[in-house]
mmCIF file of all heavy atoms in Angstrom:
data_model
loop_
_atom_site.group_PDB
_atom_site.id
_atom_site.type_symbol
_atom_site.label_atom_id
_atom_site.label_comp_id
_atom_site.label_asym_id
_atom_site.label_seq_id
_atom_site.Cartn_x
_atom_site.Cartn_y
_atom_site.Cartn_z
ATOM 1 N N ALA A 1 98.370 98.248 117.926
ATOM 2 C CA ALA A 1 98.422 97.226 118.927
ATOM 3 C C ALA A 1 97.072 96.448 118.856
ATOM 4 O O ALA A 1 96.097 96.945 118.391
ATOM 5 C CB ALA A 1 98.623 97.890 120.260
ATOM 6 N N PRO A 2 97.100 95.258 119.420
ATOM 7 C CA PRO A 2 95.884 94.446 119.405
ATOM 8 C C PRO A 2 94.749 95.151 120.075
ATOM 9 O O PRO A 2 94.905 95.677 121.195
ATOM 10 C CB PRO A 2 96.302 93.205 120.163
ATOM 11 C CG PRO A 2 97.724 93.065 120.014
ATOM 12 C CD PRO A 2 98.271 94.536 119.944
ATOM 13 N N GLY A 3 93.611 95.173 119.468
ATOM 14 C CA GLY A 3 92.438 95.834 119.990
ATOM 15 C C GLY A 3 92.473 97.328 119.974
ATOM 16 O O GLY A 3 91.529 97.995 120.556
ATOM 17 N N LYS A 4 93.466 97.924 119.360
ATOM 18 C CA LYS A 4 93.600 99.421 119.316
ATOM 19 C C LYS A 4 93.574 99.952 117.961
ATOM 20 O O LYS A 4 93.859 99.185 117.023
ATOM 21 C CB LYS A 4 94.793 99.931 120.142
ATOM 22 C CG LYS A 4 94.769 99.518 121.584
ATOM 23 C CD LYS A 4 95.965 100.146 122.337
ATOM 24 C CE LYS A 4 95.970 99.943 123.840
ATOM 25 N NZ LYS A 4 97.114 100.505 124.505
ATOM 26 N N GLN A 5 93.282 101.207 117.774
ATOM 27 C CA GLN A 5 93.385 101.854 116.555
ATOM 28 C C GLN A 5 94.778 102.096 116.095
ATOM 29 O O GLN A 5 95.693 102.219 116.946
ATOM 30 C CB GLN A 5 92.585 103.201 116.562
ATOM 31 C CG GLN A 5 91.105 102.980 116.648
ATOM 32 C CD GLN A 5 90.367 104.333 116.501
ATOM 33 O OE1 GLN A 5 90.905 105.359 116.790
ATOM 34 N NE2 GLN A 5 89.112 104.274 116.053
ATOM 35 N N ARG A 6 94.991 102.215 114.759
ATOM 36 C CA ARG A 6 96.292 102.531 114.292
ATOM 37 C C ARG A 6 96.615 103.991 114.738
ATOM 38 O O ARG A 6 95.804 104.891 114.601
ATOM 39 C CB ARG A 6 96.353 102.392 112.731
ATOM 40 C CG ARG A 6 97.697 102.390 112.122
ATOM 41 C CD ARG A 6 97.606 102.066 110.669
ATOM 42 N NE ARG A 6 97.201 100.742 110.437
ATOM 43 C CZ ARG A 6 97.318 100.062 109.217
ATOM 44 N NH1 ARG A 6 97.814 100.729 108.211
ATOM 45 N NH2 ARG A 6 96.965 98.867 109.089
ATOM 46 N N GLU A 7 97.852 104.197 115.185
ATOM 47 C CA GLU A 7 98.267 105.539 115.636
ATOM 48 C C GLU A 7 99.508 105.934 115.004
ATOM 49 O O GLU A 7 100.392 105.102 114.717
ATOM 50 C CB GLU A 7 98.413 105.513 117.124
ATOM 51 C CG GLU A 7 99.449 104.666 117.698
ATOM 52 C CD GLU A 7 99.737 104.877 119.163
ATOM 53 O OE1 GLU A 7 99.150 105.810 119.793
ATOM 54 O OE2 GLU A 7 100.523 104.108 119.758
ATOM 55 N N LEU A 8 99.684 107.233 114.738
ATOM 56 C CA LEU A 8 100.969 107.764 114.160
ATOM 57 C C LEU A 8 101.957 107.719 115.272
ATOM 58 O O LEU A 8 101.808 108.145 116.355
ATOM 59 C CB LEU A 8 100.731 109.204 113.751
ATOM 60 C CG LEU A 8 101.885 109.916 113.133
ATOM 61 C CD1 LEU A 8 102.391 109.230 111.840
ATOM 62 C CD2 LEU A 8 101.601 111.410 112.899
ATOM 63 N N VAL A 9 103.207 107.227 114.808
ATOM 64 C CA VAL A 9 104.344 107.139 115.721
ATOM 65 C C VAL A 9 105.272 108.339 115.410
ATOM 66 O O VAL A 9 105.716 108.979 116.310
ATOM 67 C CB VAL A 9 105.084 105.797 115.572
ATOM 68 C CG1 VAL A 9 106.330 105.793 116.382
ATOM 69 C CG2 VAL A 9 104.173 104.629 115.854
ATOM 70 N N ALA A 10 105.702 108.417 114.170
ATOM 71 C CA ALA A 10 106.637 109.417 113.775
ATOM 72 C C ALA A 10 106.518 109.675 112.307
ATOM 73 O O ALA A 10 106.228 108.799 111.502
ATOM 74 C CB ALA A 10 108.040 109.072 114.161
ATOM 75 N N VAL A 11 106.832 110.913 111.904
ATOM 76 C CA VAL A 11 106.751 111.257 110.435
ATOM 77 C C VAL A 11 107.834 112.307 110.110
ATOM 78 O O VAL A 11 108.192 113.146 111.008
ATOM 79 C CB VAL A 11 105.334 111.775 110.088
ATOM 80 C CG1 VAL A 11 105.041 112.997 110.895
ATOM 81 C CG2 VAL A 11 105.281 112.019 108.580
ATOM 82 N N VAL A 12 108.339 112.175 108.907
ATOM 83 C CA VAL A 12 109.250 113.212 108.364
ATOM 84 C C VAL A 12 108.504 113.895 107.197
ATOM 85 O O VAL A 12 108.101 113.206 106.244
ATOM 86 C CB VAL A 12 110.532 112.645 107.897
ATOM 87 C CG1 VAL A 12 111.453 113.749 107.308
ATOM 88 C CG2 VAL A 12 111.293 111.849 108.902
ATOM 89 N N SER A 13 108.200 115.149 107.320
ATOM 90 C CA SER A 13 107.394 115.870 106.310
ATOM 91 C C SER A 13 108.313 116.727 105.515
ATOM 92 O O SER A 13 109.525 116.738 105.647
ATOM 93 C CB SER A 13 106.316 116.561 106.918
ATOM 94 O OG SER A 13 106.674 117.410 108.012
ATOM 95 N N SER A 14 107.710 117.565 104.665
ATOM 96 C CA SER A 14 108.351 118.526 103.815
ATOM 97 C C SER A 14 109.447 119.322 104.577
ATOM 98 O O SER A 14 109.144 119.805 105.685
ATOM 99 C CB SER A 14 107.398 119.463 103.078
ATOM 100 O OG SER A 14 108.063 120.277 102.256
ATOM 101 N N GLY A 15 110.587 119.462 104.056
ATOM 102 C CA GLY A 15 111.631 120.144 104.689
ATOM 103 C C GLY A 15 112.379 119.488 105.783
ATOM 104 O O GLY A 15 113.210 119.986 106.502
ATOM 105 N N GLY A 16 112.120 118.132 105.875
ATOM 106 C CA GLY A 16 112.810 117.369 106.876
ATOM 107 C C GLY A 16 112.246 117.593 108.287
ATOM 108 O O GLY A 16 112.917 117.161 109.231
ATOM 109 N N ILE A 17 111.093 118.166 108.429
ATOM 110 C CA ILE A 17 110.519 118.370 109.732
ATOM 111 C C ILE A 17 109.976 117.080 110.297
ATOM 112 O O ILE A 17 109.270 116.338 109.582
ATOM 113 C CB ILE A 17 109.382 119.384 109.644
ATOM 114 C CG1 ILE A 17 109.882 120.752 109.180
ATOM 115 C CG2 ILE A 17 108.704 119.526 111.015
ATOM 116 C CD1 ILE A 17 108.853 121.825 108.854
ATOM 117 N N THR A 18 110.398 116.761 111.553
ATOM 118 C CA THR A 18 109.999 115.504 112.162
ATOM 119 C C THR A 18 108.941 115.781 113.258
ATOM 120 O O THR A 18 108.891 116.865 113.838
ATOM 121 C CB THR A 18 111.191 114.793 112.804
ATOM 122 O OG1 THR A 18 111.756 115.723 113.835
ATOM 123 C CG2 THR A 18 112.253 114.428 111.808
ATOM 124 N N SER A 19 108.076 114.786 113.421
ATOM 125 C CA SER A 19 107.008 114.898 114.422
ATOM 126 C C SER A 19 106.864 113.528 115.052
ATOM 127 O O SER A 19 106.950 112.473 114.397
ATOM 128 C CB SER A 19 105.681 115.323 113.803
ATOM 129 O OG SER A 19 104.679 115.396 114.776
ATOM 130 N N TYR A 20 106.622 113.504 116.324
ATOM 131 C CA TYR A 20 106.503 112.245 117.127
ATOM 132 C C TYR A 20 105.221 112.211 118.017
ATOM 133 O O TYR A 20 104.778 113.285 118.445
ATOM 134 C CB TYR A 20 107.712 112.047 117.985
ATOM 135 C CG TYR A 20 109.025 111.985 117.345
ATOM 136 C CD1 TYR A 20 109.823 113.116 117.091
ATOM 137 C CD2 TYR A 20 109.550 110.720 117.061
ATOM 138 C CE1 TYR A 20 111.010 112.988 116.460
ATOM 139 C CE2 TYR A 20 110.709 110.587 116.386
ATOM 140 C CZ TYR A 20 111.461 111.754 116.090
ATOM 141 O OH TYR A 20 112.701 111.667 115.486
ATOM 142 N N ALA A 21 104.735 111.041 118.187
ATOM 143 C CA ALA A 21 103.696 110.865 119.160
ATOM 144 C C ALA A 21 104.278 111.154 120.564
ATOM 145 O O ALA A 21 105.488 110.873 120.820
ATOM 146 C CB ALA A 21 103.119 109.434 119.180
ATOM 147 N N ASP A 22 103.471 111.698 121.414
ATOM 148 C CA ASP A 22 103.959 112.063 122.749
ATOM 149 C C ASP A 22 104.457 110.829 123.490
ATOM 150 O O ASP A 22 105.523 110.953 124.230
ATOM 151 C CB ASP A 22 102.835 112.635 123.565
ATOM 152 C CG ASP A 22 102.460 114.063 123.151
ATOM 153 O OD1 ASP A 22 103.281 114.686 122.386
ATOM 154 O OD2 ASP A 22 101.412 114.552 123.546
ATOM 155 N N SER A 23 103.928 109.661 123.230
ATOM 156 C CA SER A 23 104.318 108.470 123.927
ATOM 157 C C SER A 23 105.685 107.978 123.572
ATOM 158 O O SER A 23 106.245 107.138 124.287
ATOM 159 C CB SER A 23 103.306 107.296 123.713
ATOM 160 O OG SER A 23 103.203 107.103 122.288
ATOM 161 N N VAL A 24 106.262 108.467 122.443
ATOM 162 C CA VAL A 24 107.581 107.958 122.009
ATOM 163 C C VAL A 24 108.655 109.092 121.986
ATOM 164 O O VAL A 24 109.805 108.796 121.739
ATOM 165 C CB VAL A 24 107.492 107.332 120.624
ATOM 166 C CG1 VAL A 24 106.407 106.229 120.621
ATOM 167 C CG2 VAL A 24 107.295 108.327 119.507
ATOM 168 N N LYS A 25 108.206 110.278 122.321
ATOM 169 C CA LYS A 25 109.215 111.389 122.259
ATOM 170 C C LYS A 25 110.348 111.105 123.219
ATOM 171 O O LYS A 25 110.151 110.657 124.329
ATOM 172 C CB LYS A 25 108.534 112.711 122.612
ATOM 173 C CG LYS A 25 107.644 113.297 121.503
ATOM 174 C CD LYS A 25 107.039 114.622 121.928
ATOM 175 C CE LYS A 25 106.226 115.222 120.828
ATOM 176 N NZ LYS A 25 105.554 116.438 121.277
ATOM 177 N N GLY A 26 111.606 111.340 122.774
ATOM 178 C CA GLY A 26 112.781 111.161 123.570
ATOM 179 C C GLY A 26 113.271 109.677 123.553
ATOM 180 O O GLY A 26 114.370 109.440 124.083
ATOM 181 N N ARG A 27 112.459 108.762 122.958
ATOM 182 C CA ARG A 27 112.856 107.427 122.921
ATOM 183 C C ARG A 27 113.088 106.931 121.447
ATOM 184 O O ARG A 27 113.901 106.061 121.232
ATOM 185 C CB ARG A 27 111.849 106.502 123.645
ATOM 186 C CG ARG A 27 111.614 106.842 125.136
ATOM 187 C CD ARG A 27 110.755 105.770 125.728
ATOM 188 N NE ARG A 27 109.375 105.693 125.118
ATOM 189 C CZ ARG A 27 108.864 104.643 124.601
ATOM 190 N NH1 ARG A 27 109.561 103.510 124.523
ATOM 191 N NH2 ARG A 27 107.671 104.650 124.101
ATOM 192 N N PHE A 28 112.266 107.405 120.613
ATOM 193 C CA PHE A 28 112.336 106.969 119.197
ATOM 194 C C PHE A 28 112.885 108.205 118.331
ATOM 195 O O PHE A 28 112.650 109.318 118.666
ATOM 196 C CB PHE A 28 110.906 106.678 118.631
ATOM 197 C CG PHE A 28 110.301 105.483 119.166
ATOM 198 C CD1 PHE A 28 110.803 104.793 120.302
ATOM 199 C CD2 PHE A 28 109.182 104.976 118.602
ATOM 200 C CE1 PHE A 28 110.215 103.639 120.809
ATOM 201 C CE2 PHE A 28 108.493 103.799 119.098
ATOM 202 C CZ PHE A 28 109.077 103.182 120.234
ATOM 203 N N THR A 29 113.627 107.753 117.346
ATOM 204 C CA THR A 29 114.163 108.772 116.357
ATOM 205 C C THR A 29 113.949 108.308 114.904
ATOM 206 O O THR A 29 114.319 107.131 114.546
ATOM 207 C CB THR A 29 115.725 108.896 116.605
ATOM 208 O OG1 THR A 29 115.954 109.245 117.920
ATOM 209 C CG2 THR A 29 116.277 109.980 115.666
ATOM 210 N N ILE A 30 113.346 109.135 114.132
ATOM 211 C CA ILE A 30 113.075 108.859 112.786
ATOM 212 C C ILE A 30 114.050 109.500 111.901
ATOM 213 O O ILE A 30 114.575 110.635 112.199
ATOM 214 C CB ILE A 30 111.646 109.278 112.355
ATOM 215 C CG1 ILE A 30 111.230 108.723 110.999
ATOM 216 C CG2 ILE A 30 111.473 110.792 112.429
ATOM 217 C CD1 ILE A 30 109.766 108.908 110.656
ATOM 218 N N SER A 31 114.494 108.815 110.851
ATOM 219 C CA SER A 31 115.534 109.411 109.946
ATOM 220 C C SER A 31 115.103 108.986 108.550
ATOM 221 O O SER A 31 114.530 107.895 108.315
ATOM 222 C CB SER A 31 116.871 108.941 110.316
ATOM 223 O OG SER A 31 117.064 107.554 110.250
ATOM 224 N N ARG A 32 115.499 109.791 107.556
ATOM 225 C CA ARG A 32 115.003 109.560 106.187
ATOM 226 C C ARG A 32 116.226 109.802 105.244
ATOM 227 O O ARG A 32 116.980 110.778 105.474
ATOM 228 C CB ARG A 32 113.891 110.446 105.852
ATOM 229 C CG ARG A 32 113.374 110.329 104.439
ATOM 230 C CD ARG A 32 112.105 111.169 104.285
ATOM 231 N NE ARG A 32 111.515 111.086 102.966
ATOM 232 C CZ ARG A 32 110.410 111.610 102.594
ATOM 233 N NH1 ARG A 32 109.600 112.222 103.490
ATOM 234 N NH2 ARG A 32 110.001 111.511 101.348
ATOM 235 N N ASP A 33 116.354 108.943 104.282
ATOM 236 C CA ASP A 33 117.398 109.100 103.233
ATOM 237 C C ASP A 33 116.649 109.267 101.905
ATOM 238 O O ASP A 33 116.193 108.296 101.373
ATOM 239 C CB ASP A 33 118.371 107.906 103.226
ATOM 240 C CG ASP A 33 119.561 108.088 102.357
ATOM 241 O OD1 ASP A 33 119.338 108.655 101.188
ATOM 242 O OD2 ASP A 33 120.609 107.606 102.516
ATOM 243 N N ASN A 34 116.530 110.449 101.403
ATOM 244 C CA ASN A 34 115.776 110.737 100.184
ATOM 245 C C ASN A 34 116.300 109.973 98.938
ATOM 246 O O ASN A 34 115.553 109.425 98.190
ATOM 247 C CB ASN A 34 115.553 112.181 99.975
ATOM 248 C CG ASN A 34 114.646 112.767 100.996
ATOM 249 O OD1 ASN A 34 113.605 112.220 101.389
ATOM 250 N ND2 ASN A 34 114.992 113.977 101.516
ATOM 251 N N PRO A 35 117.557 110.140 98.691
ATOM 252 C CA PRO A 35 118.103 109.426 97.459
ATOM 253 C C PRO A 35 117.913 107.883 97.465
ATOM 254 O O PRO A 35 117.586 107.312 96.463
ATOM 255 C CB PRO A 35 119.655 109.793 97.478
ATOM 256 C CG PRO A 35 119.716 111.000 98.236
ATOM 257 C CD PRO A 35 118.673 110.884 99.301
ATOM 258 N N LYS A 36 117.969 107.272 98.665
ATOM 259 C CA LYS A 36 117.779 105.835 98.824
ATOM 260 C C LYS A 36 116.264 105.523 99.017
ATOM 261 O O LYS A 36 115.917 104.333 99.010
ATOM 262 C CB LYS A 36 118.557 105.319 99.974
ATOM 263 C CG LYS A 36 120.026 105.400 99.832
ATOM 264 C CD LYS A 36 120.771 104.718 100.963
ATOM 265 C CE LYS A 36 122.270 104.803 100.773
ATOM 266 N NZ LYS A 36 123.017 104.204 101.887
ATOM 267 N N LYS A 37 115.449 106.526 99.265
ATOM 268 C CA LYS A 37 114.036 106.334 99.451
ATOM 269 C C LYS A 37 113.743 105.417 100.700
ATOM 270 O O LYS A 37 112.969 104.465 100.554
ATOM 271 C CB LYS A 37 113.348 105.871 98.170
ATOM 272 C CG LYS A 37 113.303 106.811 97.089
ATOM 273 C CD LYS A 37 112.460 106.489 95.851
ATOM 274 C CE LYS A 37 113.089 105.410 95.009
ATOM 275 N NZ LYS A 37 112.364 105.160 93.817
ATOM 276 N N THR A 38 114.452 105.661 101.796
ATOM 277 C CA THR A 38 114.307 104.919 102.959
ATOM 278 C C THR A 38 113.894 105.804 104.119
ATOM 279 O O THR A 38 114.177 106.979 104.203
ATOM 280 C CB THR A 38 115.574 104.140 103.329
ATOM 281 O OG1 THR A 38 116.571 105.056 103.554
ATOM 282 C CG2 THR A 38 115.939 103.179 102.171
ATOM 283 N N VAL A 39 113.260 105.146 105.040
ATOM 284 C CA VAL A 39 112.931 105.782 106.338
ATOM 285 C C VAL A 39 113.119 104.836 107.436
ATOM 286 O O VAL A 39 112.692 103.652 107.395
ATOM 287 C CB VAL A 39 111.489 106.446 106.376
ATOM 288 C CG1 VAL A 39 110.482 105.357 106.284
ATOM 289 C CG2 VAL A 39 111.329 107.271 107.618
ATOM 290 N N ASP A 40 113.875 105.186 108.455
ATOM 291 C CA ASP A 40 114.192 104.303 109.518
ATOM 292 C C ASP A 40 113.581 104.799 110.841
ATOM 293 O O ASP A 40 113.391 106.027 111.029
ATOM 294 C CB ASP A 40 115.731 104.191 109.725
ATOM 295 C CG ASP A 40 116.398 103.475 108.678
ATOM 296 O OD1 ASP A 40 115.728 102.869 107.752
ATOM 297 O OD2 ASP A 40 117.630 103.486 108.524
ATOM 298 N N LEU A 41 113.361 103.905 111.764
ATOM 299 C CA LEU A 41 112.847 104.301 113.078
ATOM 300 C C LEU A 41 113.758 103.603 114.098
ATOM 301 O O LEU A 41 113.773 102.369 114.234
ATOM 302 C CB LEU A 41 111.449 103.934 113.279
ATOM 303 C CG LEU A 41 110.776 104.435 114.547
ATOM 304 C CD1 LEU A 41 110.626 105.911 114.492
ATOM 305 C CD2 LEU A 41 109.366 103.697 114.674
ATOM 306 N N GLN A 42 114.531 104.420 114.803
ATOM 307 C CA GLN A 42 115.378 103.865 115.918
ATOM 308 C C GLN A 42 114.557 103.917 117.110
ATOM 309 O O GLN A 42 114.083 105.024 117.582
ATOM 310 C CB GLN A 42 116.674 104.629 116.049
ATOM 311 C CG GLN A 42 117.508 104.260 117.194
ATOM 312 C CD GLN A 42 118.113 102.906 117.040
ATOM 313 O OE1 GLN A 42 118.501 102.444 115.975
ATOM 314 N NE2 GLN A 42 118.098 102.099 118.172
ATOM 315 N N MET A 43 114.348 102.767 117.771
ATOM 316 C CA MET A 43 113.467 102.649 118.953
ATOM 317 C C MET A 43 114.346 102.256 120.209
ATOM 318 O O MET A 43 114.879 101.114 120.175
ATOM 319 C CB MET A 43 112.371 101.713 118.731
ATOM 320 C CG MET A 43 111.572 102.013 117.499
ATOM 321 S SD MET A 43 110.082 100.917 117.298
ATOM 322 C CE MET A 43 110.879 99.331 117.054
ATOM 323 N N ASP A 44 114.478 103.118 121.097
ATOM 324 C CA ASP A 44 115.204 102.936 122.319
ATOM 325 C C ASP A 44 114.312 102.863 123.588
ATOM 326 O O ASP A 44 113.169 103.378 123.508
ATOM 327 C CB ASP A 44 116.348 103.906 122.510
ATOM 328 C CG ASP A 44 117.339 103.962 121.352
ATOM 329 O OD1 ASP A 44 117.721 102.880 120.876
ATOM 330 O OD2 ASP A 44 117.700 105.025 120.909
ATOM 331 N N SER A 45 114.853 102.309 124.627
ATOM 332 C CA SER A 45 114.057 102.238 125.914
ATOM 333 C C SER A 45 112.659 101.720 125.682
ATOM 334 O O SER A 45 111.665 102.291 126.151
ATOM 335 C CB SER A 45 114.006 103.667 126.560
ATOM 336 O OG SER A 45 115.308 104.163 126.848
ATOM 337 N N LEU A 46 112.623 100.625 124.926
ATOM 338 C CA LEU A 46 111.263 100.079 124.623
ATOM 339 C C LEU A 46 110.564 99.565 125.847
ATOM 340 O O LEU A 46 111.204 99.079 126.814
ATOM 341 C CB LEU A 46 111.414 98.904 123.592
ATOM 342 C CG LEU A 46 111.744 99.429 122.165
ATOM 343 C CD1 LEU A 46 112.380 98.307 121.291
ATOM 344 C CD2 LEU A 46 110.546 99.918 121.553
ATOM 345 N N ASN A 47 109.274 99.637 125.827
ATOM 346 C CA ASN A 47 108.454 99.131 126.897
ATOM 347 C C ASN A 47 107.360 98.253 126.335
ATOM 348 O O ASN A 47 107.113 98.283 125.121
ATOM 349 C CB ASN A 47 107.913 100.202 127.850
ATOM 350 C CG ASN A 47 107.173 101.201 127.130
ATOM 351 O OD1 ASN A 47 106.132 101.034 126.492
ATOM 352 N ND2 ASN A 47 107.587 102.497 127.235
ATOM 353 N N VAL A 48 106.674 97.520 127.210
ATOM 354 C CA VAL A 48 105.578 96.562 126.685
ATOM 355 C C VAL A 48 104.513 97.282 125.973
ATOM 356 O O VAL A 48 103.880 96.639 125.074
ATOM 357 C CB VAL A 48 105.042 95.706 127.810
ATOM 358 C CG1 VAL A 48 106.165 94.815 128.456
ATOM 359 C CG2 VAL A 48 104.459 96.584 128.952
#
């Protein structure tokens, strides 16, 4: 965000383990498709 440091939002690590920042837990969902080499972030209940 403007004037702020870069922060981790969500990650999929080895074994498909997901991790989220506390500020987005329950609102964001990360998903990964390994054959397609894609990672998506579904963001719901967005706030300013």
Side-chain angles (χ1 to χ4, degrees):
K4 295 187 177 181
Q5 290 188 332
R6 193 173 292 192
E7 64 172 352
L8 179 65
V9 177
V11 59
V12 183
S13 55
S14 179
I17 298 172
T18 58
S19 180
Y20 296 90
D22 287 342
S23 59
V24 307
K25 283 180 181 176
R27 301 188 297 121
F28 291 12
T29 304
I30 190 169
S31 58
R32 180 172 178 173
D33 187 324
N34 290 319
K36 293 182 179 179
K37 294 189 283 188
T38 61
V39 63
D40 291 351
L41 186 68
Q42 176 65 39
M43 305 185 294
D44 299 318
S45 301
L46 286 159
N47 56 58
V48 294

